[in-house]
Amino acid sequence: MGASGPRRGPGPPDGGWGWAVLGACFVVTGFAYGFPKAVSVFFRALMRDFGAGYSDTAWVSSIMLAMLYGTGPVSSILVTRFGCRPVMLVGGLLASAGMVLASFATRLLELYLTAGVLTGLGLALNFQPSLIMLGLYFERRRPLANGLAAAGSPVFLSALSPLGQQLLEHFGWRGGFLLLGGLLLHCCACGAVMRPPPGSGPRPRKDSAGDPRGEAEADSAGLRLREAPSGGRPRRRLLDVTVCTDRAFAVYAVTKFLMALGLFVPAILLVNYAKDAGVPDSEAAFLLSIVGFVDIVARPACGALAGLARLRPHVAYLFSLALMANGLTDLSSARARTYGALVAFCIAFGLSYGMVGALQFEVLMAAVGAPRFPSALGLVLLLEAVAVLIGPPSAGRLVDALKNYEIIFYLAGSEVALAGVFMAVATNCCLRRSQDAPPSPGTEGRASDTEDAEDEVDSEPLPTGTEEPGGLEALEVPSLGTGPSEPEVEAELGLDSKSV
């Protein structure tokens, strides 16, 4: 890792204000993943008032999740253009406004546009920037930080569902939506703490022509991705699609697509599967609580485990192991018919599911580095949105057609296990060979312009606030000279390529 070598400048603080950022990321992650599921407690009341069926009403949560995943590239562009803090503040306002407006809805279409589109977009504009900022504050302790932040999902899901039920009983669904809208304003408070870490980059300055657009900028995300064509003014990359040519990113993207096809299916069908096996309704509902409790413990524990010096360089293999464990759990539990067997399945599933949740974004940042993480995350979330819209709905149709849950567990387990096998094999065969091979011109650093800039870094003193190059990708910023003709250096915020 970059932390093992000497540094010419300060790195991520790995503490201090970063713990406040971690707390905000915990809250935002909880809202992003828990809120769409918690809204389902209002479905029966919505079905009664609007005279709609369950499938039509369930589109509210589906649209919210689709916006959370599908608007990833939009969030990446906004973060690159404006920074994390402004985007999160606007996102919190949009999420709150969506639920407040939904409380006045008179048709399901209005609920789709307000609670679905508007609130989903607001949650997306909070979720992605919070992960980006977390990576800027933590490096040595980043696996633990990611695990603790990911624990917000099961914690908030366990808390928001009972809260929604109480609000429904005391204030009705309209009053409940209104109060939940007020609760989502906490996302604005989380965005307010997202100040840039010290030493994230040089501050904006005007060049000799007085044009602030030609300057190196360190926004509230600590990132402004730029290209610096020779003989021309640097231009900003709002969405760095060249990350798709990165071999490590391609491996991760394929893995995530295969994973998303089957990872969420067992949790969605678990309660109905238990009822079909003759388990009483109350005991069947408690199975999800078991998954949640194990998940709460597994995520931070796995994050701490991945942060160990011996394991962190092999975090990609740990991620693939978690995927294979999850897939094999589905496969071995497809014939579980007793309540004891289902409880054992929930414990094993919650453990492996928590490991996947704790490691997924750590692996991505280790693969592409911090400068390209916003663009990579946006593209991965878009790809995951496609898989989520294919996997669970297809599983539901198969259940309706076959009246058999066993085949669904086999399919879902096979897809997740295949994702784990692919991740391990591709990492070992493709990525390690490319790292062991001698670097060739134009490929070192996985960017066409990285090699020349690295030569400049070696031959010139680094400006204040930049870090020792040690990652997979670089963030280009002009040096702190006085004229526009001075050479540029790259302030790299990435991680060591050996971590994948």
Side-chain angles (χ1 to χ4, degrees), residues 268-289:
I268 293 174
L269 301 179
L270 177 60
V271 174
N272 288 331
Y273 174 57
K275 292 179 180 179
D276 187 63
V279 178
D281 291 357
S282 59
E283 295 181 0
F286 185 68
L287 292 173
L288 281 180
S289 299

mmCIF file of all heavy atoms in Angstrom, residues 268-289:
data_model
loop_
_atom_site.group_PDB
_atom_site.id
_atom_site.type_symbol
_atom_site.label_atom_id
_atom_site.label_comp_id
_atom_site.label_asym_id
_atom_site.label_seq_id
_atom_site.Cartn_x
_atom_site.Cartn_y
_atom_site.Cartn_z
ATOM 1 N N ILE A 268 -35.272 -11.525 -0.375
ATOM 2 C CA ILE A 268 -36.599 -11.071 -0.791
ATOM 3 C C ILE A 268 -37.638 -12.185 -0.648
ATOM 4 O O ILE A 268 -38.781 -11.951 -0.239
ATOM 5 C CB ILE A 268 -36.541 -10.556 -2.246
ATOM 6 C CG1 ILE A 268 -35.683 -9.282 -2.323
ATOM 7 C CG2 ILE A 268 -37.936 -10.280 -2.789
ATOM 8 C CD1 ILE A 268 -35.459 -8.795 -3.737
ATOM 9 N N LEU A 269 -37.239 -13.407 -0.968
ATOM 10 C CA LEU A 269 -38.188 -14.528 -0.972
ATOM 11 C C LEU A 269 -38.183 -15.324 0.324
ATOM 12 O O LEU A 269 -38.957 -16.276 0.455
ATOM 13 C CB LEU A 269 -37.861 -15.472 -2.140
ATOM 14 C CG LEU A 269 -37.903 -14.866 -3.549
ATOM 15 C CD1 LEU A 269 -37.529 -15.920 -4.576
ATOM 16 C CD2 LEU A 269 -39.273 -14.286 -3.848
ATOM 17 N N LEU A 270 -37.335 -14.969 1.278
ATOM 18 C CA LEU A 270 -37.145 -15.803 2.460
ATOM 19 C C LEU A 270 -38.430 -15.993 3.252
ATOM 20 O O LEU A 270 -38.782 -17.132 3.631
ATOM 21 C CB LEU A 270 -36.066 -15.180 3.354
ATOM 22 C CG LEU A 270 -35.791 -15.894 4.676
ATOM 23 C CD1 LEU A 270 -35.325 -17.329 4.434
ATOM 24 C CD2 LEU A 270 -34.768 -15.129 5.503
ATOM 25 N N VAL A 271 -39.155 -14.916 3.530
ATOM 26 C CA VAL A 271 -40.351 -15.012 4.368
ATOM 27 C C VAL A 271 -41.417 -15.875 3.694
ATOM 28 O O VAL A 271 -42.003 -16.768 4.316
ATOM 29 C CB VAL A 271 -40.892 -13.605 4.679
ATOM 30 C CG1 VAL A 271 -42.215 -13.700 5.436
ATOM 31 C CG2 VAL A 271 -39.877 -12.818 5.502
ATOM 32 N N ASN A 272 -41.662 -15.635 2.426
ATOM 33 C CA ASN A 272 -42.657 -16.433 1.712
ATOM 34 C C ASN A 272 -42.219 -17.892 1.576
ATOM 35 O O ASN A 272 -43.045 -18.815 1.625
ATOM 36 C CB ASN A 272 -42.907 -15.840 0.328
ATOM 37 C CG ASN A 272 -43.678 -14.536 0.388
ATOM 38 O OD1 ASN A 272 -44.463 -14.314 1.307
ATOM 39 N ND2 ASN A 272 -43.440 -13.664 -0.575
ATOM 40 N N TYR A 273 -40.915 -18.097 1.417
ATOM 41 C CA TYR A 273 -40.391 -19.464 1.343
ATOM 42 C C TYR A 273 -40.632 -20.202 2.656
ATOM 43 O O TYR A 273 -41.024 -21.380 2.677
ATOM 44 C CB TYR A 273 -38.895 -19.405 1.022
ATOM 45 C CG TYR A 273 -38.185 -20.743 1.046
ATOM 46 C CD1 TYR A 273 -38.612 -21.790 0.241
ATOM 47 C CD2 TYR A 273 -37.074 -20.939 1.856
ATOM 48 C CE1 TYR A 273 -37.957 -23.006 0.253
ATOM 49 C CE2 TYR A 273 -36.404 -22.150 1.876
ATOM 50 C CZ TYR A 273 -36.848 -23.188 1.073
ATOM 51 O OH TYR A 273 -36.205 -24.393 1.085
ATOM 52 N N ALA A 274 -40.418 -19.506 3.793
ATOM 53 C CA ALA A 274 -40.649 -20.122 5.099
ATOM 54 C C ALA A 274 -42.129 -20.424 5.307
ATOM 55 O O ALA A 274 -42.494 -21.496 5.819
ATOM 56 C CB ALA A 274 -40.131 -19.206 6.205
ATOM 57 N N LYS A 275 -42.985 -19.505 4.920
ATOM 58 C CA LYS A 275 -44.421 -19.745 5.054
ATOM 59 C C LYS A 275 -44.858 -20.927 4.206
ATOM 60 O O LYS A 275 -45.715 -21.726 4.622
ATOM 61 C CB LYS A 275 -45.197 -18.491 4.656
ATOM 62 C CG LYS A 275 -45.015 -17.316 5.617
ATOM 63 C CD LYS A 275 -45.792 -16.103 5.134
ATOM 64 C CE LYS A 275 -45.605 -14.921 6.093
ATOM 65 N NZ LYS A 275 -46.346 -13.708 5.622
ATOM 66 N N ASP A 276 -44.297 -21.038 3.013
ATOM 67 C CA ASP A 276 -44.633 -22.155 2.142
ATOM 68 C C ASP A 276 -44.183 -23.482 2.743
ATOM 69 O O ASP A 276 -44.771 -24.536 2.471
ATOM 70 C CB ASP A 276 -43.979 -21.951 0.772
ATOM 71 C CG ASP A 276 -44.408 -22.988 -0.240
ATOM 72 O OD1 ASP A 276 -45.599 -23.033 -0.568
ATOM 73 O OD2 ASP A 276 -43.542 -23.761 -0.697
ATOM 74 N N ALA A 277 -43.138 -23.425 3.587
ATOM 75 C CA ALA A 277 -42.647 -24.636 4.256
ATOM 76 C C ALA A 277 -43.427 -24.958 5.522
ATOM 77 O O ALA A 277 -43.103 -25.931 6.216
ATOM 78 C CB ALA A 277 -41.165 -24.481 4.590
ATOM 79 N N GLY A 278 -44.451 -24.162 5.854
ATOM 80 C CA GLY A 278 -45.275 -24.425 7.013
ATOM 81 C C GLY A 278 -44.864 -23.709 8.272
ATOM 82 O O GLY A 278 -45.378 -24.004 9.359
ATOM 83 N N VAL A 279 -43.968 -22.739 8.181
ATOM 84 C CA VAL A 279 -43.539 -21.964 9.351
ATOM 85 C C VAL A 279 -44.594 -20.903 9.655
ATOM 86 O O VAL A 279 -45.089 -20.235 8.742
ATOM 87 C CB VAL A 279 -42.172 -21.305 9.086
ATOM 88 C CG1 VAL A 279 -41.742 -20.448 10.266
ATOM 89 C CG2 VAL A 279 -41.120 -22.377 8.792
ATOM 90 N N PRO A 280 -44.983 -20.727 10.920
ATOM 91 C CA PRO A 280 -45.963 -19.687 11.264
ATOM 92 C C PRO A 280 -45.496 -18.295 10.840
ATOM 93 O O PRO A 280 -44.296 -18.025 10.728
ATOM 94 C CB PRO A 280 -46.070 -19.791 12.789
ATOM 95 C CG PRO A 280 -45.635 -21.194 13.106
ATOM 96 C CD PRO A 280 -44.611 -21.550 12.091
ATOM 97 N N ASP A 281 -46.456 -17.402 10.619
ATOM 98 C CA ASP A 281 -46.143 -16.076 10.075
ATOM 99 C C ASP A 281 -45.182 -15.298 10.968
ATOM 100 O O ASP A 281 -44.240 -14.666 10.482
ATOM 101 C CB ASP A 281 -47.435 -15.273 9.880
ATOM 102 C CG ASP A 281 -48.290 -15.832 8.764
ATOM 103 O OD1 ASP A 281 -47.843 -16.811 8.121
ATOM 104 O OD2 ASP A 281 -49.403 -15.306 8.540
ATOM 105 N N SER A 282 -45.419 -15.307 12.278
ATOM 106 C CA SER A 282 -44.574 -14.525 13.179
ATOM 107 C C SER A 282 -43.136 -15.046 13.184
ATOM 108 O O SER A 282 -42.172 -14.268 13.171
ATOM 109 C CB SER A 282 -45.143 -14.560 14.602
ATOM 110 O OG SER A 282 -45.227 -15.899 15.079
ATOM 111 N N GLU A 283 -42.983 -16.372 13.176
ATOM 112 C CA GLU A 283 -41.642 -16.943 13.161
ATOM 113 C C GLU A 283 -40.966 -16.736 11.814
ATOM 114 O O GLU A 283 -39.742 -16.546 11.741
ATOM 115 C CB GLU A 283 -41.708 -18.434 13.490
ATOM 116 C CG GLU A 283 -42.201 -18.717 14.897
ATOM 117 C CD GLU A 283 -42.227 -20.204 15.205
ATOM 118 O OE1 GLU A 283 -41.850 -20.991 14.308
ATOM 119 O OE2 GLU A 283 -42.619 -20.582 16.325
ATOM 120 N N ALA A 284 -41.741 -16.748 10.745
ATOM 121 C CA ALA A 284 -41.176 -16.498 9.417
ATOM 122 C C ALA A 284 -40.647 -15.068 9.308
ATOM 123 O O ALA A 284 -39.580 -14.821 8.737
ATOM 124 C CB ALA A 284 -42.220 -16.764 8.339
ATOM 125 N N ALA A 285 -41.401 -14.108 9.854
ATOM 126 C CA ALA A 285 -40.955 -12.715 9.807
ATOM 127 C C ALA A 285 -39.692 -12.508 10.638
ATOM 128 O O ALA A 285 -38.859 -11.655 10.312
ATOM 129 C CB ALA A 285 -42.069 -11.791 10.302
ATOM 130 N N PHE A 286 -39.535 -13.271 11.707
ATOM 131 C CA PHE A 286 -38.358 -13.117 12.563
ATOM 132 C C PHE A 286 -37.071 -13.571 11.874
ATOM 133 O O PHE A 286 -35.969 -13.185 12.282
ATOM 134 C CB PHE A 286 -38.557 -13.921 13.857
ATOM 135 C CG PHE A 286 -37.460 -13.735 14.857
ATOM 136 C CD1 PHE A 286 -37.282 -12.514 15.502
ATOM 137 C CD2 PHE A 286 -36.594 -14.776 15.150
ATOM 138 C CE1 PHE A 286 -36.266 -12.342 16.423
ATOM 139 C CE2 PHE A 286 -35.581 -14.623 16.073
ATOM 140 C CZ PHE A 286 -35.412 -13.394 16.711
ATOM 141 N N LEU A 287 -37.199 -14.381 10.821
ATOM 142 C CA LEU A 287 -36.010 -14.840 10.110
ATOM 143 C C LEU A 287 -35.218 -13.661 9.533
ATOM 144 O O LEU A 287 -33.982 -13.660 9.554
ATOM 145 C CB LEU A 287 -36.406 -15.812 8.995
ATOM 146 C CG LEU A 287 -36.962 -17.162 9.446
ATOM 147 C CD1 LEU A 287 -37.465 -17.955 8.237
ATOM 148 C CD2 LEU A 287 -35.902 -17.958 10.201
ATOM 149 N N LEU A 288 -35.917 -12.667 9.005
ATOM 150 C CA LEU A 288 -35.225 -11.488 8.477
ATOM 151 C C LEU A 288 -34.510 -10.721 9.576
ATOM 152 O O LEU A 288 -33.448 -10.128 9.346
ATOM 153 C CB LEU A 288 -36.212 -10.565 7.747
ATOM 154 C CG LEU A 288 -36.601 -10.966 6.325
ATOM 155 C CD1 LEU A 288 -37.579 -9.953 5.748
ATOM 156 C CD2 LEU A 288 -35.368 -11.072 5.439
ATOM 157 N N SER A 289 -35.086 -10.715 10.775
ATOM 158 C CA SER A 289 -34.424 -10.055 11.896
ATOM 159 C C SER A 289 -33.113 -10.759 12.239
ATOM 160 O O SER A 289 -32.125 -10.114 12.588
ATOM 161 C CB SER A 289 -35.352 -10.030 13.117
ATOM 162 O OG SER A 289 -36.542 -9.315 12.834
#
